[in-house]
Amino acid sequence: QVFVELPYPGTSTLSIYLRNPSPDYTLRDLLSSLPPTVRLPPMSSLFFTMDRKIVSDSTPIFNGSPMPAFSTLRIDHRIRGGGGDGGATGAESRDCYLNMYADKKPDKVDPNEVRLSKWVNCSLSYEPLRHPIVMDELGNLFNKEALVEALLMKNMPKEFGYIRGLKDMIPVELAEIPGSKQKGSMRFQCPITGLECNGKSKFYAIKTCGHVLSAKGLKEVKSSGCLVCHKEFSDGDKVVVNGSEEEVKALWEKLKQKKKFGSNNKKHKIEGGGDGSNNKKSKLASSLVAPANATKEVYASIFTSSKKSDFKETFMCRSLPLGRN
Ligand SMILES: [Zn+2]
């Protein structure tokens, strides 16, 4: 004997007593032997549950049955189609969804925006660039304040691990576009050609004086000196600012050589290497082994000035007289 609950509210539980059933009697057979007074939808849309667990139609009722006698079974409707949330009826074409999302591509970043951002924001803090601005040997621009803070707090990200002190920062003079600060973020331009620094054209920083000029300006005006301050410079003093991937790679190679050379003189080891992968830069940066006394050096380079300076002190921290940098 089994009890069968029906999926309709208000109907009483059926008590079914099976006489002389065949040994391979299954739940499917039970369904077809329900009295004709019980009106049920087609069998294929029904299923049995017991204790809220689905029981297969082919479960035997007697021999080897998981159900003890006097079990209560429940018959339920199978919900066809989608998630039963009314959202998907299966009637819409898949194109509807494809078109709906076709215009929105939140993951795709506009490369122009990225390039402009590098000229507007500090590469470390992502805050708007403001004076004093410095550049690393790879042509990234930073707020000096952010770099000094990271050095002091010892929380310089690994990707900038090659910046160990003020000696690794190149002070740069960027020509501000008049009025750009009032409109929001400070924007810069070439002081010679007026080209905007927005990532669309190539710019060089001259390491010896820090002036940032467009490649176009440097090419058009033949001069062995800076076009702004007329200080002499060589080709090796030019650093591409916010350069392309290849240009940065070349700068990295140069930096690696320089570090190697410097460390050999000090009899310190720097481990290089690399496999030419895209992660080369950060891998190498993190694999540069700091000399044992690096921390001391960093601190010393920040807090002491070995050279007397003619510059007047500014609003900056007293330990950072301009002339020493
Ligand atoms: Zn200059």
Side-chain angles (χ1 to χ4, degrees):
Q1 188 176 3
V2 288
F3 298 102
V4 177
E5 269 178 15
L6 295 172
Y8 310 111
T11 51
S12 56
T13 304
L14 295 172
S15 169
I16 298 169
Y17 186 63
L18 299 156
R19 281 168 232 270
N20 305 320
S22 78
D24 51 3
Y25 201 87
T26 64
L27 286 179
R28 198 179 294 118
D29 299 317
L30 177 74
L31 206 58
S32 53
S33 65
L34 289 176
T37 50
V38 179
R39 297 193 177 276
L40 287 170
M43 254 200 274
S44 61
S45 67
L46 298 173
F47 64 100
F48 285 96
T49 58
M50 188 175 73
D51 296 328
R52 296 179 178 271
K53 280 176 199 142
I54 294 174
V55 187
S56 160
D57 285 359
S58 54
T59 307
I61 293 185
F62 300 99
N63 288 351
S65 170
M67 298 176 292
F70 306 107
S71 293
T72 301
L73 288 160
R74 206 187 138 75
I75 298 175
D76 269 314
H77 288 285
R78 211 166 251 138
I79 295 163
R80 301 236 136 211
D85 57 0
T89 64
E92 305 95 325
S93 152
R94 197 162 166 263
D95 282 350
C96 297
Y97 296 102
L98 293 177
N99 290 335
M100 192 157 75
Y101 293 108
D103 297 330
K104 300 181 206 160
K105 281 173 190 146
D107 291 336
K108 205 180 168 201
V109 184
D110 184 353
N112 285 331
E113 284 293 314
V114 175
R115 285 203 297 265
L116 171 64
S117 161
K118 297 199 82 177
W119 278 104
V120 176
N121 299 319
C122 169
S123 292
L124 178 65
S125 66
Y126 300 110
E127 282 174 7
L129 283 171
R130 56 177 181 265
H131 300 296
I133 300 167
V134 293
M135 187 183 71
D136 63 11
E137 298 274 358
L138 304 181
N140 297 306
L141 296 173
F142 302 90
N143 287 331
K144 185 174 180 180
E145 194 189 329
L147 276 187
V148 170
E149 196 183 304
L151 284 172
L152 285 173
M153 304 302 285
K154 292 187 191 172
N155 59 1
M156 184 72 77
K158 269 192 175 174
E159 56 176 313
F160 299 125
Y162 51 88
I163 303 172
R164 307 256 180 80
L166 293 175
K167 62 182 185 336
D168 298 317
M169 305 176 195
I170 304 160
V172 286
E173 285 297 326
L174 284 155
E176 196 183 324
I177 296 177
S180 66
K181 200 175 182 180
Q182 281 71 42
K183 282 184 210 153
S185 54
M186 237 201 301
R187 300 278 194 101
F188 307 99
Q189 64 182 2
C190 171
I192 303 301
T193 61
L195 270 174
E196 193 185 339
C197 303
N198 54 13
K200 284 178 184 153
S201 28
K202 194 168 173 176
F203 279 79
Y204 287 106
I206 300 166
K207 276 206 244 178
T208 44
C209 64
H211 285 115
V212 176
L213 300 161
S214 65
K216 202 179 166 210
L218 281 170
K219 201 176 158 191
E220 277 176 9
V221 186
K222 292 278 170 214
S223 165
S224 59
C226 171
L227 304 179
V228 179
C229 64
H230 309 294
K231 200 169 170 180
E232 295 282 317
F233 69 91
S234 65
D235 260 6
D237 295 327
K238 287 195 302 184
V239 179
V240 186
V241 187
N242 292 328
S244 67
E245 210 172 299
E246 292 78 47
E247 286 160 342
V248 172
K249 220 172 199 173
L251 286 169
W252 175 250
E253 290 300 324
K254 215 169 139 186
L255 173 64
K256 212 169 72 182
Q257 289 304 317
K258 195 176 142 189
K259 291 256 175 192
K260 239 181 205 164
F261 183 71
S263 66
N264 282 347
N265 280 357
K266 288 186 220 157
K267 298 218 191 285
H268 286 146
K269 265 186 208 160
I270 286 183
E271 280 162 22
D275 49 13
S277 73
N278 286 341
N279 293 331
K280 199 172 179 180
K281 181 178 142 192
S282 49
K283 251 190 212 163
L284 282 171
S286 55
S287 70
L288 291 175
V289 176
N293 57 348
T295 323
K296 250 169 116 184
E297 276 180 4
V298 169
Y299 268 95
S301 70
I302 291 165
F303 290 118
T304 66
S305 65
S306 52
K307 191 174 91 182
K308 285 287 167 205
S309 160
D310 302 324
F311 282 80
K312 278 179 194 164
E313 281 192 4
T314 63
F315 61 92
M316 283 293 289
C317 169
R318 274 170 170 266
S319 315
L320 299 169
L322 267 178
R324 214 189 65 72
N325 308 323

